[in-house]
Amino acid sequence: MNSETTNGVNEVRLLRINEVAELTTLSKSCIHLWVAQGRFPAPLTLSPTVKVWRQSQLLSWVEIKTQESKAISECLAAKPLEVKQ
């Protein structure tokens, strides 16, 4: 998704952990764990106690995960699982 623009100037919206959790529907602890595992975008550290995420980066991550999920669903639908008895 594109950044919001005002008067032709790109604005980057920075989100704190509570907003990231709301946007992604992930818990804060899950976000921290996935960042540590490299499965989620890393935050920008503004100070030792302030970390923020770029909204545009998170929206791109959500889009990628959505496309991956659709691809997996299509693959499973195309090839039904065999049931062994």
Side-chain angles (χ1 to χ4, degrees):
M1 257 183 149
N2 296 334
S3 299
E4 298 174 8
T5 57
T6 305
N7 298 329
V9 178
N10 286 334
E11 293 184 65
V12 176
R13 181 144 190 263
L14 301 176
L15 306 177
R16 300 287 299 265
I17 187 68
N18 289 333
E19 295 169 304
V20 174
E22 185 178 331
L23 175 70
T24 61
T25 70
L26 298 171
S27 68
K28 291 188 282 187
S29 59
C30 181
I31 292 167
H32 291 302
L33 176 63
W34 284 11
V35 166
Q37 294 174 340
R39 297 173 56 193
F40 193 80
L44 301 171
T45 302
L46 301 182
S47 75
T49 59
V50 178
K51 296 181 189 312
V52 295
W53 284 259
R54 288 184 185 95
Q55 182 180 28
S56 59
Q57 188 178 19
L58 295 176
L59 293 174
S60 294
W61 181 85
V62 168
E63 183 63 29
I64 289 167
K65 293 301 175 189
T66 301
Q67 294 302 320
E68 288 174 357
S69 177
K70 287 179 184 176
I72 291 170
S73 295
E74 289 172 2
C75 183
L76 292 175
K79 184 178 179 187
L81 295 175
E82 293 180 17
V83 178
K84 294 182 181 180
Q85 293 183 2

